[in-house]
C-alpha cells in the first residue's frame, strides 16, 4: 500500500524541485540483509533521493523526484532485489490509498514457499530411508557421466529442486545486487555441494535452511503482531451527526468540529471534547491505566479508548491522522528508524565478520588438501586423523563455514529487542521515542523528579489566608486573585478558584502586568503597584519578614513575636507563619505593595498516592539516587521529600538552576533521567541523558520535546519504564554475545570435523535467529505493577 507526501527541495538557480515520498509494503523484507539488498537496488534508480527501510515492519519509505522516477520504477527495483511489493496504489499524482505502516499478516506455514519446503523435506526423509535402511530397494535408476544414480539420489535431487531453487533464486538476486548475504552464501553452498555429487548434504542444507527461513519469517510476523495490535486500536469508521441524521463514514472523512456519536461498548474513533452524555471510558490503550475514567461534558476523549456503558456525543478536535493515538503510532514507527549505538556497532562488526569467515571458508576448502597432498605432515599424532581426508571432505567443511558466515542472528539481536520493548511500552501507556532512549534509560544511576505535577498531583488549593496590618482576609484574597488573572501558573488557578468560591468573581482590572520569573508577579491594581510571590521576592523589595504586623483582632498563626517593636500584634512571620506552613508541605504566597505587606496565602498540593511506592520500587530495582528538584521553598520541599522517600531534594530552583542541578548530577553519576511536565521543565529535560514527560496524553508539546512520555498522570509507570529498559539492555547483551559465542564455537569445530552442515544450519543459523527473537519477545510480556494504578 502506498501513501504520498509532497516536499520541496532547493535546486540550482534558486528554484525548487518537488519530491514525493512513497510508502511501500514489502512483507518478505524481514531481515537486515534483505533491506541491504533492496537498498542497493534502489540506489541504482535515477531520481531516488532517500530510502528508509524497516525490516521489523516490512515497509519502505522512499523519497524520489517524480520528474525523474515513478512509483513503478521503485516497485521494479524492489522486485529486482527478489521481493514482491504487497499492494501498489496509484502513481505519484494519483491517490495515495490507506497507509498500513506495517506489512499485513501472512500465512507463513501454508505459503507457496512452505509447501515447497514440506515437499523437499518429504523427499529427504524418503531418501534417507532408502539410503540407510532400505538399501536393498535403493535401485539404480539412471547413469549420468558414468556415475550410477540411485533411487535415494533421485529423491535427494528432488529435495534440492523443491526446496533449494527458492534459495538459489534469492542468492542470484544477492549476487546481482553485490550483496554478500545469507542467501548468496547458502545458494552457493547448495550449488557447489550438488555439483560435486554431495546430494545428501545439498538436500539437507536446502531443506533445513528453507525451514529456518520459514520459522524466522514466522517469528518476525509474530513480532510484528504487537505493532499491528497498536495500529488496530482505533476504529476505521465513525458515526457522525449530519443534517440531523446519523451517518457512518470513514474516520479520515470526519472534519474538525463535527459531532460524533459513541454508544456503549464502542471504540472512540477520534480525539474530541464531550458535548453531551456521560460514561466511564477505558483509556488503557492510550494511558495504560486499567481503571476506567468517568467522562462528562467538556472532558477530553482520546481515539482508541473504549466507551464502557453510557452514551456520548463529542466534538472532534483533530482529524484522524492527528489524533493522540496516531501520533503514538507514528512515533513508535519512527523510533525504529533510529539505530542505537549497539546496533551501529553490530552492523560495523558484521561488515568485517562475513567477509572474514568467507575467506576462511575458502582457505579451509583449499589449503588442507593441498598441504596433505603435498606431503605436509601434522606433528601431533592425535590430530593426524582429524586433519586428513580428501578434498571433498574439506570442501564440505568449507561449505559449512559459509553457513556459519551468516551474521543474521547477531545483526537482528538489537533491533528485534528494541521493537519488542518499544511496542510493549506503548501498549502500557509509555511512549519511548527511540531505541537509544530505551538503552539509555536502562543505564541511568540517577532519576531526578520535579515536584509539582510529578510527585504531587499539581491540583493546588488554598488552605489558609492570613491578613496583615489593616487588611481583611477577603481583601487579601481579592488582591491576590486580581494579580493572578493573567497568570497561567497552577498557583494562580488555585487562588482564582478560591476567590470565585468565596464570591469574589468580580475582580478589579489590572495594568502593567509582569511575570517575575521564578519569584512571582507584579501589576497595578486600582492605581497602586501590588506584588504576589515567594517570600524571597519581598525580601528583595526590602521587607524584614521577621518583623511584620498582624491585624488588631488577632487570629494569627504566627506565634513568634518581635520583642523590640513598640507596636502591638507584631510578629516574626518568617519563623512563625511561613515556617509553620512550609513545614506542613504548603507553598507560601505573600501579597503586598512595595511598602506594605497585605497578607499571607498558604497553598497545598496533594501528593500522588503512588509516589512513595514508586520511589521505593526504584530503589529496589537498583536506582542509586532519586532526587527531587523544585522551584518551591525549602520547607515545603523538605516535607514532601521526607514523605516520598527521595534521597535528596533541591529547592527554590529557577529553570536555569534546574539545568545546573542536572549537570551537577551528570558530573557525579553515569546517567541522569529527568521527569517533569514537558513544558516548564523543558530545559532540564533536554539537558538530562533521558527526558521524561508526565501526563503527555493530549499534550503535543510534551510528545514532541521529551525522549520518553508517560501518557497518563501515573508516576507508578516510572519503575516499569526503568525495569523494562534495564531488562532490554540485558536481553540485547544476551542476544549479541550468545549468537557470537555459538558462531565462534561452531567455527572452531568445523576444521576438527565436529560440525556438520545440518548442525551449522539448525544451531548456528535457524537456532540462534529463533533464539534471539524469542528472547526479545520476552519484553512484550512485561507489564506495570497494577497496584500503582490510581
Amino acid at each position: 500500500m502506498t501513501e504520498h507526501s509532497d516536499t520541496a527541495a532547493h535546486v540550482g538557480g534558486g528554484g525548487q524541485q518537488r519530491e514525493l515520498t512513497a510508502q511501500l509494503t514489502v512483507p518478505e523484507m524481514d531481515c537486515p540483509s534483505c533491506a541491504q539488498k533492496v537498498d542497493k537496488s534502489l540506489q541504482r534508480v535515477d531520481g531516488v533521493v532517500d530510502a528508509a527501510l524497516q525490516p521489523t515492519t516490512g515497509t519502505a519509505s522512499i523519497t524520489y523526484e517524480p520528474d525523474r522516477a515513478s512509483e513503478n520504477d521503485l516497485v521494479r527495483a524492489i522486485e529486482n532485489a527478489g521481493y514482491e511489493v504487497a499492494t501498489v496504489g496509484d502513481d505519484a499524482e494519483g491517490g495515495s490509498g490507506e497507509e498500513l505502516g506495517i506489512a499485513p499478516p501472512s500465512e507463513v506455514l501454508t505459503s507457496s514457499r512452505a509447501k515447497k519446503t514440506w515437499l523437499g523435506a518429504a523427499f529427504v526423509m524418503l531418501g534417507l530411508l532408502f539410503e540407510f535402511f532400505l538399501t536393498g530397494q535403493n535401485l539404480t535408476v539412471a547413469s549420468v557421466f558414468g556415475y550410477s544414480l540411485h533411487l535415494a539420489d533421485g529423491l535427494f535431487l528432488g529435495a534440492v529442486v523443491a526446496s533449494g531453487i527458492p534459495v538459489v533464486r534469492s542468492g542470484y538476486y544477492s549476487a546481482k545486487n553485490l550483496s554478500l548475504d545469507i542467501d548468496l552464501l547458502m545458494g552457493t553452498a547448495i550449488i557447489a555441494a550438488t555439483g560435486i555429487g554431495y546430494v545428501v548434504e545439498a538436500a539437507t542444507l536446502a531443506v533445513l535452511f528453507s525451514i529456518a527461513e520459514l520459522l524466522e519469517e514466522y517469528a518476525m510476523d509474530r513480532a510484528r503482531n504487537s505493532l499491528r495490535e497498536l495500529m488496530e486500536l482505533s476504529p476505521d469508521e465513525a458515526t457522525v451527526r449530519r443534517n440531523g441524521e446519523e451517518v457512518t463514514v470513514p474516520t479520515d472523512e470526519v472534519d474538525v468540529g463535527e459531532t460524533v456519536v459513541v454508544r456503549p461498548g464502542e471504540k472512540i474513533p477520534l480525539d474530541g471534547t464531550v458535548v453531551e452524555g456521560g460514561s466511564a471510558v477505558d483509556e488503557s490503550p492510550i494511558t495504560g491505566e486499567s481503571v476506567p475514567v468517568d467522562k462528562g461534558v467538556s472532558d477530553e476523549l482520546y481515539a482508541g479508548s473504549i466507551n464502557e456503558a453510557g452514551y456520548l456525543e463529542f466534538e472532534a478536535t483533530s482529524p484522524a491522522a492527528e489524533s493522540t493515538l496516531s501520533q503514538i503510532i507514528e512515533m513508535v514507527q519512527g523510533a525504529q528508524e533510529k539505530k542505537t549505538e549497539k546496533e551501529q556497532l553490530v552492523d560495523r562488526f558484521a561488515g568485517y565478520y562475513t567477509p572474514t569467515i568467507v575467506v576462511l571458508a575458502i582457505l579451509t576448502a583449499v589449503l588442507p588438501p593441498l598441504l596433505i597432498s603435498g606431503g605436509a605432515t601434522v606433528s601431533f599424532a592425535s590430530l593426524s586423523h582429524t586433519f586428513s581426508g580428501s578434498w571433498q571432505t574439506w570442501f564440505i567443511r568449507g561449505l559449512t563455514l559459509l553457513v556459519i558466515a551468516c551474521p543474521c542472528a547477531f545483526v537482528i539481536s538489537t533491533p528485534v529487542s528494541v521493537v519488542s520493548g518499544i511496542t510493549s511500552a506503548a501498549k502500557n501507556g509509555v511512549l519511548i521515542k527511540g531505541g537509544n532512549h530505551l538503552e539509555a534509560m536502562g543505564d541511568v544511576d540517577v532519576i531526578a523528579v520535579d515536584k509539582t505535577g510529578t510527585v504531587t498531583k499539581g491540583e493546588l488549593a488554598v488552605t489558609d489566608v492570613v491578613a496583615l496590618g489593616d487588611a481583611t482576609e477577603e481583601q487579601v484574597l481579592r488582591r491576590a486573585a486580581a494579580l493572578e488573572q493573567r497568570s497561567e501558573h497552577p498557583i494562580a488557578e488555585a487562588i482564582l478558584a478560591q476567590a470565585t468560591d468565596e464570591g469574589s468573581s468580580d475582580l478589579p482590572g489590572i495594568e502593567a502586568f509582569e511575570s517575575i520569573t521564578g519569584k512571582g508577579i507584579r501589576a497595578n491594581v486600582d492605581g497602586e503597584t501590588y506584588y504576589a510571590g515567594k517570600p524571597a521576592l519581598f525580601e528583595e523589595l526590602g521587607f524584614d519578614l521577621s518583623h511584620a504586623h498582624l491585624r488588631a483582632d488577632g487570629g494569627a498563626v504566627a506565634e513568634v513575636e518581635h520583642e523590640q517593636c513598640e507596636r502591638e500584634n507584631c510578629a516574626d512571620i518568617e519563623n512563625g507563619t511561613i515556617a509553620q506552613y512550609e513545614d506542613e508541605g504548603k507553598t507560601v504566597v505573600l501579597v503586598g505593595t512595595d511598602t506594605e505587606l497585605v497578607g499571607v496565602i498558604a497553598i497545598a498540593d496533594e501528593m500522588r498516592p503512588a509516589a512513595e511506592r514508586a520511589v521505593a520500587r526504584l530503589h529496589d530495582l537498583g536506582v542509586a539516587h532519586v532526587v527531587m528538584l523544585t522551584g518551591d521553598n525549602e520547607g515545603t520541599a523538605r516535607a514532601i521529600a521526607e514523605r516520598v522517600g527521595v534521597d535528596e531534594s533541591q529547592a527554590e530552583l529557577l529553570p536555569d538552576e534546574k539545568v545546573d542541578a542536572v549537570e551537577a548530577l551528570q558530573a557525579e553519576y553515569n546517567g541522569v533521567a529527568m521527569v517533569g511536565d514537558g513544558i516548564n521543565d523543558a530545559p532540564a529535560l533536554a539537558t538530562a541523558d533521558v527526558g521524561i514527560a508526565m501526563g503527555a496524553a493530549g499534550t503535543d508539546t510534551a510528545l514532541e520535546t521529551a525522549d520518553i512520555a508517560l501518557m497518563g498522570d501515573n508516576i507508578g509507570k516510572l519503575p516499569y519504564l526503568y525495569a523494562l529498559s534495564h531488562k532490554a539492555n540485558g536481553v540485547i547483551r544476551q542476544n549479541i554475545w550468545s549468537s557470537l559465542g555459538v558462531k565462534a564455537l561452531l567455527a572452531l569445530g568445523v576444521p576438527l570435523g565436529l560440525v556438520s552442515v545440518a548442525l551449522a544450519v539448525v544451531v548456528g543459523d535457524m537456532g540462534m535467529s529463533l533464539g534471539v527473537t524469542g528472547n526479545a519477545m520476552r519484553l512484550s510480556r512485561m507489564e506495570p505493577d497494577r497496584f500503582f494504578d490510581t
Side-chain angles (χ1 to χ4, degrees):
M1 191 73 73
T2 63
E3 179 176 282
H4 297 89
S5 58
D6 288 290
T7 58
H10 288 283
V11 295
Q16 288 189 327
Q17 171 63 54
R18 190 164 62 93
E19 295 177 354
L20 295 178
T21 299
Q23 307 285 352
L24 304 177
T25 304
V26 190
E28 294 179 354
M29 185 182 66
D30 55 9
C31 65
S33 62
C34 306
Q36 182 184 45
K37 199 186 313 182
V38 172
D39 186 53
K40 288 185 177 181
S41 184
L42 287 170
Q43 286 177 8
R44 293 198 294 269
V45 178
D46 183 39
V48 171
V49 178
D50 183 52
L53 308 174
Q54 293 300 314
T56 50
T57 58
T59 57
S61 178
I62 308 166
T63 302
Y64 65 100
E65 297 175 1
D67 295 336
R68 299 167 59 193
S70 69
E71 184 179 294
N72 289 333
D73 295 329
L74 308 181
V75 172
R76 279 195 295 270
I78 294 174
E79 291 175 346
N80 285 336
Y83 301 97
E84 293 184 2
V85 177
T87 309
V88 182
D90 297 331
D91 199 48
E93 299 297 334
S96 63
E98 179 187 6
E99 180 185 6
L100 290 178
I102 187 170
S106 58
E107 299 296 330
V108 178
L109 302 181
T110 58
S111 63
S112 174
R113 172 75 179 271
K115 293 176 181 176
K116 294 176 182 177
T117 300
W118 309 140
L119 178 61
F123 282 150
V124 167
M125 295 301 294
L126 289 173
L128 292 174
L129 183 64
F130 283 104
E131 181 77 15
F132 297 105
F133 299 100
L134 303 178
T135 54
Q137 285 75 38
N138 190 20
L139 305 175
T140 301
V141 294
S143 179
V144 180
F145 302 114
Y147 292 94
S148 298
L149 189 66
H150 295 86
L151 178 59
D153 298 327
L155 291 170
F156 291 134
L157 287 174
V160 171
V161 172
S163 301
I165 286 182
V167 180
V168 174
R169 175 180 175 275
S170 296
Y172 161 75
Y173 284 113
S174 298
K176 183 178 178 181
N177 290 281
L178 303 178
S179 178
L180 184 60
D181 58 17
I182 185 63
D183 294 325
L184 178 58
L185 296 176
M186 291 297 185
T188 301
I190 291 171
I191 292 173
T194 305
I196 64 172
Y198 276 58
V199 289
V200 177
E201 287 79 1
T204 303
L205 179 59
V207 170
L208 289 179
F209 179 69
S210 292
I211 292 174
E213 290 283 277
L214 289 175
L215 292 177
E216 289 172 22
E217 186 179 345
Y218 177 75
M220 181 59 71
D221 194 62
R222 290 289 302 273
R224 290 172 178 172
N225 273 341
S226 57
L227 282 173
R228 294 191 190 103
E229 291 170 2
L230 188 63
M231 299 182 70
E232 292 170 357
L233 288 175
S234 182
D236 298 326
E237 295 181 331
T239 302
V240 183
R241 178 168 286 116
R242 292 177 178 174
N243 300 322
E245 297 182 357
E246 293 183 6
V247 293
T248 301
V249 298
T251 53
D252 56 6
E253 294 182 8
V254 179
D255 295 327
V256 173
E258 287 199 276
T259 299
V260 181
V261 177
V262 185
R263 291 181 169 78
E266 294 181 348
K267 286 185 177 181
I268 294 168
L270 302 100
D271 285 2
T273 303
V274 178
V275 294
E276 183 179 334
S279 178
V281 176
D282 178 6
E283 293 185 338
S284 59
I286 306 298
T287 65
E289 303 296 336
S290 60
V291 180
V293 181
D294 291 332
K295 297 289 183 177
V297 175
S298 299
D299 287 336
E300 290 185 340
L301 298 174
Y302 303 121
S305 302
I306 302 170
N307 182 17
E308 293 279 313
Y311 173 86
L312 290 172
E313 289 187 12
F314 70 90
E315 180 182 310
T317 55
S318 65
E322 298 176 12
S323 69
T324 300
L325 179 60
S326 295
Q327 292 181 62
I328 293 173
I329 294 170
E330 182 179 348
M331 289 180 182
V332 168
Q333 291 174 321
Q336 300 167 50
E337 298 177 10
K338 306 168 187 175
K339 288 190 175 183
T340 68
E341 292 184 7
K342 288 188 180 72
E343 192 173 352
Q344 294 174 20
L345 178 63
V346 167
D347 285 346
R348 288 194 296 270
F349 176 79
Y352 294 101
Y353 168 83
T354 299
T356 300
I357 299 299
V358 169
V359 170
L360 288 176
I362 295 172
L363 294 177
T364 298
V366 174
L367 283 184
L370 291 177
L371 293 175
I372 293 172
S373 62
T377 60
V378 179
S379 57
F380 298 98
S382 60
L383 296 179
S384 60
H385 177 71
T386 299
F387 287 99
S388 63
S390 64
W391 70 270
Q392 290 96 336
T393 300
W394 286 103
F395 192 82
I396 290 299
R397 292 177 182 177
L399 293 180
T400 305
L401 270 181
L402 279 183
V403 175
I404 297 171
C406 172
C408 286
F410 59 85
V411 168
I412 68 171
S413 59
T414 299
V416 74
S417 302
V418 167
V419 169
S420 181
I422 288 177
T423 53
S424 173
K427 288 188 291 185
N428 286 290
V430 179
L431 176 60
I432 303 174
K433 294 168 63 177
N436 50 336
H437 305 311
L438 178 70
E439 289 185 359
M441 185 63 200
D443 289 332
V444 298
D445 291 333
V446 179
I447 295 180
V449 296
D450 180 45
K451 180 182 76 69
T452 304
T454 304
V455 174
T456 61
K457 289 185 175 181
E459 299 171 358
L460 303 179
V462 174
T463 59
D464 304 271
V465 178
V466 177
L468 303 175
D470 296 328
T472 64
E473 293 182 359
E474 180 184 356
Q475 290 173 333
V476 173
L477 190 59
R478 185 176 175 81
R479 284 287 182 266
L483 288 170
E484 301 285 8
Q485 288 179 85
R486 296 185 186 177
S487 175
E488 297 180 356
H489 196 280
I491 288 178
E493 295 178 1
I495 292 175
L496 287 167
Q498 184 69 19
T500 301
D501 291 342
E502 296 190 6
S504 300
S505 57
D506 185 17
L507 301 173
I510 61 172
E511 297 177 348
F513 174 86
E514 181 183 354
S515 175
I516 306 171
T517 304
K519 297 177 182 178
I521 56 176
R522 172 176 55 204
N524 293 338
V525 182
D526 294 335
E528 188 173 6
T529 302
Y530 277 84
Y531 296 83
K534 297 179 178 179
L537 172 62
F538 285 83
E539 289 178 341
E540 289 183 3
L541 293 173
F543 283 88
D544 180 4
L545 298 181
S546 66
H547 184 185
H549 298 99
L550 306 179
R551 287 176 51 216
D553 60 357
V557 179
E559 298 175 353
V560 183
E561 294 185 355
H562 198 283
E563 297 177 356
Q564 283 74 32
C565 186
E566 297 178 356
R567 289 180 56 180
E568 294 181 357
N569 302 316
C570 178
D572 178 358
I573 66 169
E574 180 177 23
N575 296 305
T577 307
I578 295 175
Q580 177 177 332
Y581 287 152
E582 289 182 349
D583 287 343
E584 293 173 359
K586 298 177 181 179
T587 298
V588 175
V589 176
L590 301 185
V591 184
T593 66
D594 53 5
T595 60
E596 181 184 11
L597 278 176
V598 175
V600 181
I601 298 177
I603 297 171
D605 184 8
E606 184 180 354
M607 194 176 76
R608 294 186 183 277
E612 182 178 355
R613 290 173 290 174
V615 171
R617 181 63 177 146
L618 286 172
H619 285 137
D620 292 341
L621 291 170
V623 177
H625 202 65
V626 180
V627 57
M628 186 177 74
L629 307 179
T630 179
D632 215 333
N633 62 77
E634 181 67 39
T636 301
R638 183 171 56 253
I640 296 294
E642 289 176 356
R643 290 175 61 190
V644 175
V646 297
D647 301 294
E648 175 189 354
S649 68
Q650 298 184 31
E652 300 180 5
L653 299 177
L654 298 175
D656 59 322
E657 291 173 331
K658 286 186 180 181
V659 172
D660 294 338
V662 170
E663 290 176 342
L665 290 169
Q666 288 174 320
E668 185 176 354
Y669 297 91
N670 290 328
V672 177
M674 174 70 193
V675 189
D677 60 12
I679 302 173
N680 296 332
D681 300 310
L685 292 175
T687 303
D689 297 287
V690 183
I692 305 170
M694 275 275 293
T699 307
D700 292 342
T701 304
L703 284 173
E704 292 170 2
T705 58
D707 301 322
I708 298 174
L710 307 182
M711 303 305 292
D713 281 327
N714 187 354
I715 194 175
K717 294 293 177 67
L718 202 54
Y720 161 74
L721 169 61
Y722 178 79
L724 176 70
S725 302
H726 193 69
K727 186 172 182 178
N729 284 348
V731 166
I732 290 171
R733 286 192 293 268
Q734 292 165 12
N735 284 350
I736 292 175
W737 291 111
S738 62
S739 56
L740 282 177
V742 169
K743 293 276 188 180
L745 288 175
L746 290 174
L748 290 174
V750 169
L752 302 175
L754 302 177
V755 179
S756 65
V757 171
L759 185 63
V761 174
V762 171
V763 178
D765 181 63
M766 175 176 64
M768 287 314 305
S769 294
L770 292 176
V772 299
T773 302
N775 194 31
M777 291 303 292
R778 291 192 298 128
L779 297 174
S780 66
R781 295 192 291 271
M782 287 191 66
E783 293 185 355
D785 295 322
R786 288 302 174 189
F787 62 83
F788 283 130
D789 287 346
T790 57

